Amino acid sequence: MPDARTTRLVDAYTRLTRDNLPTLLALYAENARFKDPFNDVRGHAAIGRIFTQMFEELREPRFTVQVSASEGDDAFLTWELHFTRERGQAMVIRGATHLRFTPAGLVQLHRDYWDAAEELYAKLPVLGALMRLLQRRLATPQR
């Protein structure tokens, strides 16, 4: 069951736009750490740059949260990031997040877990074909 801190954060992510990014950042401690497959940064300014870049590079990005759970100062989310590619192709990246809150209820640690190979690279034209070939070669045969 998610607690109030987790519920506030989920609400901020599901309503996230370029214009209300400061509302999301206000839920993070000033020296919060944000780590995902491409970034490992600390602080509001650096975290803000990640989301600003997301809005610049992706068309119509939006988050949906499927599951949220809290225990003590830790929370866990599963989510989808929906966006549109430049040619109008709808894309979805699925992932999970571990959060740790400060005693004041702000996010101190935000660690995203998602498979860049499956969720991103495999969906690109040339690189995707290579990824699928590798996947077939490395997979355990199912008889």
Side-chain angles (χ1 to χ4, degrees), residues 53-91:
Q53 181 179 4
M54 176 189 76
F55 284 111
E56 289 171 358
E57 294 189 9
L58 305 179
R59 289 179 47 206
E60 303 170 6
R62 66 180 174 81
F63 288 95
T64 59
V65 176
Q66 279 65 52
V67 176
S68 61
S70 305
E71 184 173 323
D73 288 333
D74 291 292
F76 179 79
L77 312 174
T78 59
W79 49 263
E80 294 179 346
L81 170 59
H82 298 260
F83 60 96
T84 306
R85 291 187 53 190
E86 60 278 350
R87 294 183 182 164
Q89 178 187 13
M91 299 283 291

PDB file of all heavy atoms in Angstrom, residues 53-91:
ATOM      1  N   GLN A  53      15.487  17.611 -21.011  1.00  0.00           N
ATOM      2  CA  GLN A  53      15.946  16.932 -22.223  1.00  0.00           C
ATOM      3  C   GLN A  53      14.886  15.944 -22.715  1.00  0.00           C
ATOM      4  O   GLN A  53      14.659  15.818 -23.923  1.00  0.00           O
ATOM      5  CB  GLN A  53      17.260  16.212 -21.972  1.00  0.00           C
ATOM      6  CG  GLN A  53      17.788  15.512 -23.217  1.00  0.00           C
ATOM      7  CD  GLN A  53      19.105  14.809 -22.970  1.00  0.00           C
ATOM      8  OE1 GLN A  53      19.612  14.768 -21.852  1.00  0.00           O
ATOM      9  NE2 GLN A  53      19.659  14.239 -24.015  1.00  0.00           N
ATOM     10  N   MET A  54      14.222  15.245 -21.785  1.00  0.00           N
ATOM     11  CA  MET A  54      13.162  14.318 -22.181  1.00  0.00           C
ATOM     12  C   MET A  54      12.086  15.059 -22.970  1.00  0.00           C
ATOM     13  O   MET A  54      11.658  14.595 -24.029  1.00  0.00           O
ATOM     14  CB  MET A  54      12.537  13.661 -20.942  1.00  0.00           C
ATOM     15  CG  MET A  54      11.360  12.746 -21.267  1.00  0.00           C
ATOM     16  SD  MET A  54      10.458  12.171 -19.806  1.00  0.00           S
ATOM     17  CE  MET A  54       9.515  13.650 -19.394  1.00  0.00           C
ATOM     18  N   PHE A  55      11.670  16.236 -22.488  1.00  0.00           N
ATOM     19  CA  PHE A  55      10.630  17.000 -23.183  1.00  0.00           C
ATOM     20  C   PHE A  55      11.124  17.553 -24.524  1.00  0.00           C
ATOM     21  O   PHE A  55      10.336  17.736 -25.440  1.00  0.00           O
ATOM     22  CB  PHE A  55      10.094  18.125 -22.302  1.00  0.00           C
ATOM     23  CG  PHE A  55       9.162  17.639 -21.235  1.00  0.00           C
ATOM     24  CD1 PHE A  55       9.526  17.669 -19.909  1.00  0.00           C
ATOM     25  CD2 PHE A  55       7.908  17.132 -21.562  1.00  0.00           C
ATOM     26  CE1 PHE A  55       8.669  17.205 -18.925  1.00  0.00           C
ATOM     27  CE2 PHE A  55       7.038  16.660 -20.595  1.00  0.00           C
ATOM     28  CZ  PHE A  55       7.418  16.699 -19.271  1.00  0.00           C
ATOM     29  N   GLU A  56      12.425  17.803 -24.637  1.00  0.00           N
ATOM     30  CA  GLU A  56      12.970  18.292 -25.901  1.00  0.00           C
ATOM     31  C   GLU A  56      13.108  17.185 -26.942  1.00  0.00           C
ATOM     32  O   GLU A  56      12.919  17.429 -28.131  1.00  0.00           O
ATOM     33  CB  GLU A  56      14.335  18.948 -25.655  1.00  0.00           C
ATOM     34  CG  GLU A  56      14.236  20.258 -24.920  1.00  0.00           C
ATOM     35  CD  GLU A  56      15.588  20.805 -24.493  1.00  0.00           C
ATOM     36  OE1 GLU A  56      16.626  20.144 -24.731  1.00  0.00           O
ATOM     37  OE2 GLU A  56      15.589  21.898 -23.889  1.00  0.00           O
ATOM     38  N   GLU A  57      13.429  15.975 -26.509  1.00  0.00           N
ATOM     39  CA  GLU A  57      13.731  14.901 -27.446  1.00  0.00           C
ATOM     40  C   GLU A  57      12.555  13.975 -27.754  1.00  0.00           C
ATOM     41  O   GLU A  57      12.565  13.311 -28.782  1.00  0.00           O
ATOM     42  CB  GLU A  57      14.916  14.091 -26.938  1.00  0.00           C
ATOM     43  CG  GLU A  57      16.188  14.924 -26.932  1.00  0.00           C
ATOM     44  CD  GLU A  57      17.421  14.111 -26.632  1.00  0.00           C
ATOM     45  OE1 GLU A  57      17.337  12.869 -26.596  1.00  0.00           O
ATOM     46  OE2 GLU A  57      18.469  14.725 -26.431  1.00  0.00           O
ATOM     47  N   LEU A  58      11.573  13.910 -26.864  1.00  0.00           N
ATOM     48  CA  LEU A  58      10.436  13.014 -27.069  1.00  0.00           C
ATOM     49  C   LEU A  58       9.174  13.827 -27.327  1.00  0.00           C
ATOM     50  O   LEU A  58       8.978  14.869 -26.714  1.00  0.00           O
ATOM     51  CB  LEU A  58      10.214  12.117 -25.849  1.00  0.00           C
ATOM     52  CG  LEU A  58      11.399  11.278 -25.380  1.00  0.00           C
ATOM     53  CD1 LEU A  58      11.005  10.470 -24.153  1.00  0.00           C
ATOM     54  CD2 LEU A  58      11.906  10.381 -26.489  1.00  0.00           C
ATOM     55  N   ARG A  59       8.331  13.309 -28.198  1.00  0.00           N
ATOM     56  CA  ARG A  59       7.052  13.970 -28.456  1.00  0.00           C
ATOM     57  C   ARG A  59       6.010  13.405 -27.507  1.00  0.00           C
ATOM     58  O   ARG A  59       5.862  12.188 -27.387  1.00  0.00           O
ATOM     59  CB  ARG A  59       6.618  13.740 -29.898  1.00  0.00           C
ATOM     60  CG  ARG A  59       7.485  14.504 -30.893  1.00  0.00           C
ATOM     61  CD  ARG A  59       7.098  14.294 -32.325  1.00  0.00           C
ATOM     62  NE  ARG A  59       5.664  14.426 -32.543  1.00  0.00           N
ATOM     63  CZ  ARG A  59       5.006  13.825 -33.534  1.00  0.00           C
ATOM     64  NH1 ARG A  59       5.656  13.064 -34.387  1.00  0.00           N
ATOM     65  NH2 ARG A  59       3.722  14.003 -33.682  1.00  0.00           N
ATOM     66  N   GLU A  60       5.319  14.285 -26.810  1.00  0.00           N
ATOM     67  CA  GLU A  60       4.201  13.939 -25.935  1.00  0.00           C
ATOM     68  C   GLU A  60       4.547  12.867 -24.897  1.00  0.00           C
ATOM     69  O   GLU A  60       3.817  11.890 -24.731  1.00  0.00           O
ATOM     70  CB  GLU A  60       3.001  13.485 -26.777  1.00  0.00           C
ATOM     71  CG  GLU A  60       2.564  14.518 -27.784  1.00  0.00           C
ATOM     72  CD  GLU A  60       1.546  13.975 -28.784  1.00  0.00           C
ATOM     73  OE1 GLU A  60       1.076  12.821 -28.635  1.00  0.00           O
ATOM     74  OE2 GLU A  60       1.216  14.725 -29.717  1.00  0.00           O
ATOM     75  N   PRO A  61       5.651  13.027 -24.155  1.00  0.00           N
ATOM     76  CA  PRO A  61       5.970  12.011 -23.142  1.00  0.00           C
ATOM     77  C   PRO A  61       4.988  12.085 -21.970  1.00  0.00           C
ATOM     78  O   PRO A  61       4.576  13.161 -21.550  1.00  0.00           O
ATOM     79  CB  PRO A  61       7.380  12.395 -22.695  1.00  0.00           C
ATOM     80  CG  PRO A  61       7.451  13.867 -22.920  1.00  0.00           C
ATOM     81  CD  PRO A  61       6.616  14.123 -24.151  1.00  0.00           C
ATOM     82  N   ARG A  62       4.603  10.897 -21.484  1.00  0.00           N
ATOM     83  CA  ARG A  62       3.752  10.849 -20.294  1.00  0.00           C
ATOM     84  C   ARG A  62       3.997   9.536 -19.569  1.00  0.00           C
ATOM     85  O   ARG A  62       4.256   8.502 -20.187  1.00  0.00           O
ATOM     86  CB  ARG A  62       2.286  11.015 -20.637  1.00  0.00           C
ATOM     87  CG  ARG A  62       1.691   9.911 -21.439  1.00  0.00           C
ATOM     88  CD  ARG A  62       0.210  10.125 -21.764  1.00  0.00           C
ATOM     89  NE  ARG A  62      -0.260   9.108 -22.660  1.00  0.00           N
ATOM     90  CZ  ARG A  62      -0.624   7.875 -22.294  1.00  0.00           C
ATOM     91  NH1 ARG A  62      -0.593   7.546 -21.024  1.00  0.00           N
ATOM     92  NH2 ARG A  62      -1.021   6.991 -23.175  1.00  0.00           N
ATOM     93  N   PHE A  63       3.936   9.605 -18.251  1.00  0.00           N
ATOM     94  CA  PHE A  63       4.143   8.434 -17.413  1.00  0.00           C
ATOM     95  C   PHE A  63       2.806   7.889 -16.935  1.00  0.00           C
ATOM     96  O   PHE A  63       1.893   8.651 -16.613  1.00  0.00           O
ATOM     97  CB  PHE A  63       4.972   8.793 -16.170  1.00  0.00           C
ATOM     98  CG  PHE A  63       6.417   9.061 -16.465  1.00  0.00           C
ATOM     99  CD1 PHE A  63       6.862  10.350 -16.668  1.00  0.00           C
ATOM    100  CD2 PHE A  63       7.331   8.017 -16.530  1.00  0.00           C
ATOM    101  CE1 PHE A  63       8.198  10.605 -16.933  1.00  0.00           C
ATOM    102  CE2 PHE A  63       8.661   8.264 -16.800  1.00  0.00           C
ATOM    103  CZ  PHE A  63       9.098   9.557 -16.994  1.00  0.00           C
ATOM    104  N   THR A  64       2.712   6.570 -16.885  1.00  0.00           N
ATOM    105  CA  THR A  64       1.617   5.906 -16.187  1.00  0.00           C
ATOM    106  C   THR A  64       2.266   4.980 -15.168  1.00  0.00           C
ATOM    107  O   THR A  64       3.303   4.359 -15.449  1.00  0.00           O
ATOM    108  CB  THR A  64       0.707   5.095 -17.132  1.00  0.00           C
ATOM    109  OG1 THR A  64       1.483   4.107 -17.796  1.00  0.00           O
ATOM    110  CG2 THR A  64       0.031   5.998 -18.164  1.00  0.00           C
ATOM    111  N   VAL A  65       1.695   4.926 -13.987  1.00  0.00           N
ATOM    112  CA  VAL A  65       2.217   4.067 -12.922  1.00  0.00           C
ATOM    113  C   VAL A  65       1.250   2.916 -12.730  1.00  0.00           C
ATOM    114  O   VAL A  65       0.060   3.136 -12.494  1.00  0.00           O
ATOM    115  CB  VAL A  65       2.414   4.868 -11.615  1.00  0.00           C
ATOM    116  CG1 VAL A  65       2.856   3.954 -10.483  1.00  0.00           C
ATOM    117  CG2 VAL A  65       3.451   5.982 -11.829  1.00  0.00           C
ATOM    118  N   GLN A  66       1.756   1.687 -12.847  1.00  0.00           N
ATOM    119  CA  GLN A  66       0.914   0.505 -12.702  1.00  0.00           C
ATOM    120  C   GLN A  66       0.807   0.057 -11.243  1.00  0.00           C
ATOM    121  O   GLN A  66      -0.255  -0.314 -10.791  1.00  0.00           O
ATOM    122  CB  GLN A  66       1.456  -0.671 -13.537  1.00  0.00           C
ATOM    123  CG  GLN A  66       1.088  -0.621 -15.005  1.00  0.00           C
ATOM    124  CD  GLN A  66       1.703   0.568 -15.719  1.00  0.00           C
ATOM    125  OE1 GLN A  66       2.883   0.794 -15.650  1.00  0.00           O
ATOM    126  NE2 GLN A  66       0.875   1.321 -16.404  1.00  0.00           N
ATOM    127  N   VAL A  67       1.933   0.041 -10.542  1.00  0.00           N
ATOM    128  CA  VAL A  67       1.970  -0.446  -9.167  1.00  0.00           C
ATOM    129  C   VAL A  67       2.823   0.507  -8.343  1.00  0.00           C
ATOM    130  O   VAL A  67       3.871   0.958  -8.799  1.00  0.00           O
ATOM    131  CB  VAL A  67       2.584  -1.873  -9.097  1.00  0.00           C
ATOM    132  CG1 VAL A  67       2.719  -2.335  -7.655  1.00  0.00           C
ATOM    133  CG2 VAL A  67       1.768  -2.865  -9.908  1.00  0.00           C
ATOM    134  N   SER A  68       2.371   0.803  -7.146  1.00  0.00           N
ATOM    135  CA  SER A  68       3.192   1.556  -6.191  1.00  0.00           C
ATOM    136  C   SER A  68       3.016   0.935  -4.818  1.00  0.00           C
ATOM    137  O   SER A  68       1.903   0.560  -4.439  1.00  0.00           O
ATOM    138  CB  SER A  68       2.819   3.036  -6.180  1.00  0.00           C
ATOM    139  OG  SER A  68       1.478   3.226  -5.794  1.00  0.00           O
ATOM    140  N   ALA A  69       4.118   0.788  -4.120  1.00  0.00           N
ATOM    141  CA  ALA A  69       4.092   0.201  -2.789  1.00  0.00           C
ATOM    142  C   ALA A  69       5.131   0.901  -1.929  1.00  0.00           C
ATOM    143  O   ALA A  69       6.166   1.337  -2.434  1.00  0.00           O
ATOM    144  CB  ALA A  69       4.384  -1.293  -2.862  1.00  0.00           C
ATOM    145  N   SER A  70       4.849   1.008  -0.649  1.00  0.00           N
ATOM    146  CA  SER A  70       5.765   1.666   0.284  1.00  0.00           C
ATOM    147  C   SER A  70       5.959   0.805   1.520  1.00  0.00           C
ATOM    148  O   SER A  70       5.041   0.113   1.955  1.00  0.00           O
ATOM    149  CB  SER A  70       5.188   3.012   0.741  1.00  0.00           C
ATOM    150  OG  SER A  70       4.871   3.831  -0.346  1.00  0.00           O
ATOM    151  N   GLU A  71       7.164   0.873   2.042  1.00  0.00           N
ATOM    152  CA  GLU A  71       7.455   0.252   3.334  1.00  0.00           C
ATOM    153  C   GLU A  71       8.525   1.091   4.010  1.00  0.00           C
ATOM    154  O   GLU A  71       9.624   1.251   3.478  1.00  0.00           O
ATOM    155  CB  GLU A  71       7.940  -1.179   3.165  1.00  0.00           C
ATOM    156  CG  GLU A  71       8.158  -1.858   4.502  1.00  0.00           C
ATOM    157  CD  GLU A  71       8.478  -3.322   4.381  1.00  0.00           C
ATOM    158  OE1 GLU A  71       7.921  -3.992   3.515  1.00  0.00           O
ATOM    159  OE2 GLU A  71       9.318  -3.774   5.169  1.00  0.00           O
ATOM    160  N   GLY A  72       8.190   1.663   5.141  1.00  0.00           N
ATOM    161  CA  GLY A  72       9.126   2.548   5.821  1.00  0.00           C
ATOM    162  C   GLY A  72       9.456   3.732   4.939  1.00  0.00           C
ATOM    163  O   GLY A  72       8.559   4.379   4.389  1.00  0.00           O
ATOM    164  N   ASP A  73      10.733   4.014   4.780  1.00  0.00           N
ATOM    165  CA  ASP A  73      11.172   5.142   3.951  1.00  0.00           C
ATOM    166  C   ASP A  73      11.464   4.741   2.506  1.00  0.00           C
ATOM    167  O   ASP A  73      12.018   5.529   1.742  1.00  0.00           O
ATOM    168  CB  ASP A  73      12.412   5.796   4.562  1.00  0.00           C
ATOM    169  CG  ASP A  73      12.083   6.568   5.827  1.00  0.00           C
ATOM    170  OD1 ASP A  73      10.933   7.028   5.958  1.00  0.00           O
ATOM    171  OD2 ASP A  73      12.975   6.707   6.685  1.00  0.00           O
ATOM    172  N   ASP A  74      11.106   3.522   2.124  1.00  0.00           N
ATOM    173  CA  ASP A  74      11.337   3.047   0.770  1.00  0.00           C
ATOM    174  C   ASP A  74      10.015   2.860   0.035  1.00  0.00           C
ATOM    175  O   ASP A  74       9.002   2.511   0.637  1.00  0.00           O
ATOM    176  CB  ASP A  74      12.090   1.712   0.780  1.00  0.00           C
ATOM    177  CG  ASP A  74      13.509   1.875   1.253  1.00  0.00           C
ATOM    178  OD1 ASP A  74      14.304   2.514   0.524  1.00  0.00           O
ATOM    179  OD2 ASP A  74      13.832   1.384   2.345  1.00  0.00           O
ATOM    180  N   ALA A  75      10.061   3.074  -1.286  1.00  0.00           N
ATOM    181  CA  ALA A  75       8.894   2.839  -2.129  1.00  0.00           C
ATOM    182  C   ALA A  75       9.369   2.213  -3.428  1.00  0.00           C
ATOM    183  O   ALA A  75      10.533   2.353  -3.824  1.00  0.00           O
ATOM    184  CB  ALA A  75       8.157   4.148  -2.411  1.00  0.00           C
ATOM    185  N   PHE A  76       8.454   1.518  -4.083  1.00  0.00           N
ATOM    186  CA  PHE A  76       8.744   0.845  -5.333  1.00  0.00           C
ATOM    187  C   PHE A  76       7.600   1.115  -6.300  1.00  0.00           C
ATOM    188  O   PHE A  76       6.426   1.027  -5.926  1.00  0.00           O
ATOM    189  CB  PHE A  76       8.881  -0.662  -5.087  1.00  0.00           C
ATOM    190  CG  PHE A  76       9.161  -1.456  -6.325  1.00  0.00           C
ATOM    191  CD1 PHE A  76      10.435  -1.517  -6.864  1.00  0.00           C
ATOM    192  CD2 PHE A  76       8.150  -2.155  -6.956  1.00  0.00           C
ATOM    193  CE1 PHE A  76      10.692  -2.257  -8.007  1.00  0.00           C
ATOM    194  CE2 PHE A  76       8.394  -2.897  -8.098  1.00  0.00           C
ATOM    195  CZ  PHE A  76       9.674  -2.945  -8.622  1.00  0.00           C
ATOM    196  N   LEU A  77       7.932   1.487  -7.536  1.00  0.00           N
ATOM    197  CA  LEU A  77       6.935   1.759  -8.575  1.00  0.00           C
ATOM    198  C   LEU A  77       7.249   0.918  -9.802  1.00  0.00           C
ATOM    199  O   LEU A  77       8.413   0.707 -10.125  1.00  0.00           O
ATOM    200  CB  LEU A  77       6.986   3.227  -9.019  1.00  0.00           C
ATOM    201  CG  LEU A  77       7.009   4.325  -7.976  1.00  0.00           C
ATOM    202  CD1 LEU A  77       7.221   5.677  -8.651  1.00  0.00           C
ATOM    203  CD2 LEU A  77       5.729   4.307  -7.175  1.00  0.00           C
ATOM    204  N   THR A  78       6.207   0.491 -10.489  1.00  0.00           N
ATOM    205  CA  THR A  78       6.378   0.014 -11.857  1.00  0.00           C
ATOM    206  C   THR A  78       5.633   1.007 -12.735  1.00  0.00           C
ATOM    207  O   THR A  78       4.583   1.526 -12.337  1.00  0.00           O
ATOM    208  CB  THR A  78       5.849  -1.416 -12.084  1.00  0.00           C
ATOM    209  OG1 THR A  78       4.467  -1.472 -11.775  1.00  0.00           O
ATOM    210  CG2 THR A  78       6.625  -2.415 -11.236  1.00  0.00           C
ATOM    211  N   TRP A  79       6.188   1.304 -13.889  1.00  0.00           N
ATOM    212  CA  TRP A  79       5.661   2.399 -14.708  1.00  0.00           C
ATOM    213  C   TRP A  79       5.868   2.129 -16.189  1.00  0.00           C
ATOM    214  O   TRP A  79       6.609   1.230 -16.576  1.00  0.00           O
ATOM    215  CB  TRP A  79       6.320   3.721 -14.314  1.00  0.00           C
ATOM    216  CG  TRP A  79       7.823   3.663 -14.225  1.00  0.00           C
ATOM    217  CD1 TRP A  79       8.567   3.484 -13.094  1.00  0.00           C
ATOM    218  CD2 TRP A  79       8.772   3.742 -15.297  1.00  0.00           C
ATOM    219  NE1 TRP A  79       9.908   3.457 -13.405  1.00  0.00           N
ATOM    220  CE2 TRP A  79      10.060   3.613 -14.746  1.00  0.00           C
ATOM    221  CE3 TRP A  79       8.646   3.908 -16.672  1.00  0.00           C
ATOM    222  CZ2 TRP A  79      11.215   3.654 -15.513  1.00  0.00           C
ATOM    223  CZ3 TRP A  79       9.805   3.939 -17.459  1.00  0.00           C
ATOM    224  CH2 TRP A  79      11.073   3.818 -16.861  1.00  0.00           C
ATOM    225  N   GLU A  80       5.211   2.967 -16.978  1.00  0.00           N
ATOM    226  CA  GLU A  80       5.413   3.003 -18.424  1.00  0.00           C
ATOM    227  C   GLU A  80       5.606   4.457 -18.826  1.00  0.00           C
ATOM    228  O   GLU A  80       4.892   5.340 -18.340  1.00  0.00           O
ATOM    229  CB  GLU A  80       4.204   2.450 -19.167  1.00  0.00           C
ATOM    230  CG  GLU A  80       3.964   0.985 -18.938  1.00  0.00           C
ATOM    231  CD  GLU A  80       2.756   0.442 -19.664  1.00  0.00           C
ATOM    232  OE1 GLU A  80       1.928   1.249 -20.149  1.00  0.00           O
ATOM    233  OE2 GLU A  80       2.636  -0.785 -19.740  1.00  0.00           O
ATOM    234  N   LEU A  81       6.568   4.695 -19.692  1.00  0.00           N
ATOM    235  CA  LEU A  81       6.766   6.004 -20.305  1.00  0.00           C
ATOM    236  C   LEU A  81       6.267   5.887 -21.740  1.00  0.00           C
ATOM    237  O   LEU A  81       6.819   5.124 -22.539  1.00  0.00           O
ATOM    238  CB  LEU A  81       8.241   6.414 -20.285  1.00  0.00           C
ATOM    239  CG  LEU A  81       8.613   7.654 -21.109  1.00  0.00           C
ATOM    240  CD1 LEU A  81       7.844   8.882 -20.651  1.00  0.00           C
ATOM    241  CD2 LEU A  81      10.114   7.896 -21.048  1.00  0.00           C
ATOM    242  N   HIS A  82       5.209   6.602 -22.036  1.00  0.00           N
ATOM    243  CA  HIS A  82       4.621   6.613 -23.380  1.00  0.00           C
ATOM    244  C   HIS A  82       5.105   7.868 -24.107  1.00  0.00           C
ATOM    245  O   HIS A  82       5.143   8.952 -23.515  1.00  0.00           O
ATOM    246  CB  HIS A  82       3.090   6.658 -23.292  1.00  0.00           C
ATOM    247  CG  HIS A  82       2.502   5.480 -22.609  1.00  0.00           C
ATOM    248  ND1 HIS A  82       1.956   4.425 -23.292  1.00  0.00           N
ATOM    249  CD2 HIS A  82       2.378   5.181 -21.287  1.00  0.00           C
ATOM    250  CE1 HIS A  82       1.515   3.536 -22.433  1.00  0.00           C
ATOM    251  NE2 HIS A  82       1.759   3.967 -21.204  1.00  0.00           N
ATOM    252  N   PHE A  83       5.446   7.728 -25.376  1.00  0.00           N
ATOM    253  CA  PHE A  83       5.830   8.886 -26.178  1.00  0.00           C
ATOM    254  C   PHE A  83       5.669   8.526 -27.648  1.00  0.00           C
ATOM    255  O   PHE A  83       5.396   7.374 -27.989  1.00  0.00           O
ATOM    256  CB  PHE A  83       7.263   9.345 -25.878  1.00  0.00           C
ATOM    257  CG  PHE A  83       8.327   8.319 -26.132  1.00  0.00           C
ATOM    258  CD1 PHE A  83       9.031   8.296 -27.328  1.00  0.00           C
ATOM    259  CD2 PHE A  83       8.639   7.374 -25.160  1.00  0.00           C
ATOM    260  CE1 PHE A  83      10.017   7.357 -27.556  1.00  0.00           C
ATOM    261  CE2 PHE A  83       9.628   6.424 -25.379  1.00  0.00           C
ATOM    262  CZ  PHE A  83      10.321   6.412 -26.583  1.00  0.00           C
ATOM    263  N   THR A  84       5.844   9.507 -28.493  1.00  0.00           N
ATOM    264  CA  THR A  84       5.723   9.310 -29.927  1.00  0.00           C
ATOM    265  C   THR A  84       7.064   9.616 -30.573  1.00  0.00           C
ATOM    266  O   THR A  84       7.693  10.622 -30.240  1.00  0.00           O
ATOM    267  CB  THR A  84       4.635  10.239 -30.507  1.00  0.00           C
ATOM    268  OG1 THR A  84       3.431  10.029 -29.782  1.00  0.00           O
ATOM    269  CG2 THR A  84       4.394   9.957 -31.976  1.00  0.00           C
ATOM    270  N   ARG A  85       7.481   8.757 -31.473  1.00  0.00           N
ATOM    271  CA  ARG A  85       8.715   9.008 -32.214  1.00  0.00           C
ATOM    272  C   ARG A  85       8.454  10.037 -33.302  1.00  0.00           C
ATOM    273  O   ARG A  85       7.320  10.365 -33.611  1.00  0.00           O
ATOM    274  CB  ARG A  85       9.238   7.706 -32.815  1.00  0.00           C
ATOM    275  CG  ARG A  85       9.736   6.779 -31.711  1.00  0.00           C
ATOM    276  CD  ARG A  85      10.403   5.562 -32.223  1.00  0.00           C
ATOM    277  NE  ARG A  85      11.471   5.890 -33.164  1.00  0.00           N
ATOM    278  CZ  ARG A  85      12.089   4.996 -33.902  1.00  0.00           C
ATOM    279  NH1 ARG A  85      11.752   3.729 -33.822  1.00  0.00           N
ATOM    280  NH2 ARG A  85      13.039   5.339 -34.734  1.00  0.00           N
ATOM    281  N   GLU A  86       9.529  10.521 -33.919  1.00  0.00           N
ATOM    282  CA  GLU A  86       9.442  11.592 -34.910  1.00  0.00           C
ATOM    283  C   GLU A  86       8.518  11.269 -36.078  1.00  0.00           C
ATOM    284  O   GLU A  86       7.942  12.153 -36.673  1.00  0.00           O
ATOM    285  CB  GLU A  86      10.837  11.977 -35.418  1.00  0.00           C
ATOM    286  CG  GLU A  86      11.613  10.870 -36.084  1.00  0.00           C
ATOM    287  CD  GLU A  86      12.336   9.931 -35.131  1.00  0.00           C
ATOM    288  OE1 GLU A  86      12.410  10.229 -33.927  1.00  0.00           O
ATOM    289  OE2 GLU A  86      12.825   8.883 -35.594  1.00  0.00           O
ATOM    290  N   ARG A  87       8.345  10.026 -36.425  1.00  0.00           N
ATOM    291  CA  ARG A  87       7.468   9.654 -37.542  1.00  0.00           C
ATOM    292  C   ARG A  87       6.071   9.278 -37.068  1.00  0.00           C
ATOM    293  O   ARG A  87       5.318   8.651 -37.809  1.00  0.00           O
ATOM    294  CB  ARG A  87       8.076   8.498 -38.321  1.00  0.00           C
ATOM    295  CG  ARG A  87       9.357   8.900 -39.015  1.00  0.00           C
ATOM    296  CD  ARG A  87       9.888   7.771 -39.840  1.00  0.00           C
ATOM    297  NE  ARG A  87      11.146   8.195 -40.451  1.00  0.00           N
ATOM    298  CZ  ARG A  87      12.007   7.372 -40.983  1.00  0.00           C
ATOM    299  NH1 ARG A  87      11.764   6.081 -40.994  1.00  0.00           N
ATOM    300  NH2 ARG A  87      13.107   7.824 -41.507  1.00  0.00           N
ATOM    301  N   GLY A  88       5.740   9.614 -35.837  1.00  0.00           N
ATOM    302  CA  GLY A  88       4.405   9.349 -35.321  1.00  0.00           C
ATOM    303  C   GLY A  88       4.219   7.973 -34.721  1.00  0.00           C
ATOM    304  O   GLY A  88       3.112   7.616 -34.324  1.00  0.00           O
ATOM    305  N   GLN A  89       5.290   7.181 -34.630  1.00  0.00           N
ATOM    306  CA  GLN A  89       5.192   5.834 -34.083  1.00  0.00           C
ATOM    307  C   GLN A  89       5.108   5.901 -32.559  1.00  0.00           C
ATOM    308  O   GLN A  89       5.970   6.476 -31.895  1.00  0.00           O
ATOM    309  CB  GLN A  89       6.409   5.005 -34.494  1.00  0.00           C
ATOM    310  CG  GLN A  89       6.411   3.607 -33.936  1.00  0.00           C
ATOM    311  CD  GLN A  89       7.722   2.877 -34.217  1.00  0.00           C
ATOM    312  OE1 GLN A  89       8.708   3.481 -34.624  1.00  0.00           O
ATOM    313  NE2 GLN A  89       7.722   1.589 -33.974  1.00  0.00           N
ATOM    314  N   ALA A  90       4.050   5.308 -31.989  1.00  0.00           N
ATOM    315  CA  ALA A  90       3.886   5.257 -30.535  1.00  0.00           C
ATOM    316  C   ALA A  90       4.917   4.301 -29.939  1.00  0.00           C
ATOM    317  O   ALA A  90       5.153   3.218 -30.470  1.00  0.00           O
ATOM    318  CB  ALA A  90       2.481   4.817 -30.178  1.00  0.00           C
ATOM    319  N   MET A  91       5.527   4.703 -28.840  1.00  0.00           N
ATOM    320  CA  MET A  91       6.542   3.898 -28.158  1.00  0.00           C
ATOM    321  C   MET A  91       6.202   3.830 -26.672  1.00  0.00           C
ATOM    322  O   MET A  91       5.590   4.762 -26.122  1.00  0.00           O
ATOM    323  CB  MET A  91       7.927   4.525 -28.316  1.00  0.00           C
ATOM    324  CG  MET A  91       8.422   4.651 -29.732  1.00  0.00           C
ATOM    325  SD  MET A  91       9.017   3.113 -30.412  1.00  0.00           S
ATOM    326  CE  MET A  91      10.486   2.857 -29.453  1.00  0.00           C
TER     327      MET A  91
END
